[in-house]
Amino acid sequence: MSRITFKRVAPDEARIYDHDGDHVGHVYRHADIVNAGGFVYLVHLTEDPRGWTRVHDRSRIREVAQHMVDTHPLYG
């Protein structure tokens, strides 16, 4: 069971919230320059020294974001 939630704030952007309802990051959708007509999703957590993570499969965004929150130096 996931402990994070998402809220769309723009057509190509969503905010990530942890189980306490705190805003912890963003997901951005960008055109995939390698795969014409496709998209890539960038998951970025606030104050994360690891930087953003690129996700090509939309169905994996929740899994990747949850793993990033769980292993974040400040949130996990």
Side-chain angles (χ1 to χ4, degrees), residues 1 6 11 16-17 20 22 25 31-32 34 37 43 52-53 55-56 58-59 61 64 66 71 73:
M1 182 170 100
F6 298 89
I16 304 169
Y17 295 91
D20 292 326
D22 296 324
D32 187 345
V34 176
V43 180
W52 49 267
T53 298
V55 180
H56 293 277
R58 185 175 184 261
S59 68
I61 294 172
V64 170
Q66 184 66 62
T71 59

Side-chain angles (χ1 to χ4, degrees), residues 31-51:
D32 187 345
I33 60 171
V34 176
N35 181 15
F39 295 99
V40 63
Y41 302 89
L42 304 177
V43 180
H44 184 264
L45 300 183
T46 306
E47 297 184 31
D48 192 339
R50 301 170 294 184

Side-chain angles (χ1 to χ4, degrees), residues 2 4 6 59-70:
S2 180
I4 60 170
F6 298 89
S59 68
R60 294 197 60 232
I61 294 172
R62 180 175 301 279
E63 170 192 346
V64 170
Q66 184 66 62
H67 177 74
M68 290 177 71
V69 169
D70 290 345

Side-chain angles (χ1 to χ4, degrees), residues 10-31:
D12 293 330
E13 178 185 354
R15 290 185 180 160
I16 304 169
Y17 295 91
D18 68 8
H19 64 281
D20 292 326
D22 296 324
H23 174 230
V24 296
H26 291 88
V27 176
Y28 301 99
R29 182 179 76 165
H30 289 276

